[in-house]
Amino acid sequence: MADFVFLGGDPSQWECVGFADDAKRNRFLAQSRPGTLVAIYVTKGKGPEDMRGKVVGVLELSHEAGHAQNYISGDRWREKELDPASKGQWLYAVKATRAGSIVPEDWERVEDIFPEAYGSVHRLCCTKGLMAVVHLSLDRPIPRPL
């Protein structure tokens, strides 16, 4: 993982994307390949006001699957499990290999960048107002330079 701050925290403390169940994770793995990118946006109802609804980062995912606790630091895991909104949620994880943030002046609304994914079943996980959307195809360019 990168050693820079991503979305208000160190990515080395939260090195995965979680799925609601094993079937959803397996579908993602079957439809992607190692190195797949996922866009991270802040939900419209949570998170800092200026970030809500905006794509603020990108994760590169491996195909290493495991329990989310294997990829989240002890303190962050305890914090997640103490929150009633996230306790016991998103346990079926895929390890992230890199994380990148987008500078605030380049944040764009998720529905403008990914109209086919926003509001669909392509969402991967949600915690603390952060949401990962459908993986970006490696066969087409990322909409904006990172």
Side-chain angles (χ1 to χ4, degrees), residues 38-41 110 114 117-118 122-124 131-136:
V38 293
I40 306 299
Y41 78 95
V110 64
F114 303 109
Y118 182 71
H122 292 90
R123 295 177 182 184
L124 302 178
M131 180 75 71
V133 298
V134 67
H135 64 274
L136 306 175

Side-chain angles (χ1 to χ4, degrees), residues 14 42-43 46-48 76 79-80 83 86 126-130:
W14 197 294
V42 179
T43 60
K46 293 183 180 178
R76 295 294 304 274
E79 179 183 320
K80 174 202 168 314
D83 182 346
S86 62
C126 180
T127 186
K128 297 277 185 198
L130 301 177

Side-chain angles (χ1 to χ4, degrees), residues 83-98:
D83 182 346
S86 62
K87 181 179 174 129
Q89 300 290 317
W90 316 110
L91 302 179
Y92 302 86
V94 173
K95 181 176 175 51
T97 51
R98 290 192 295 169

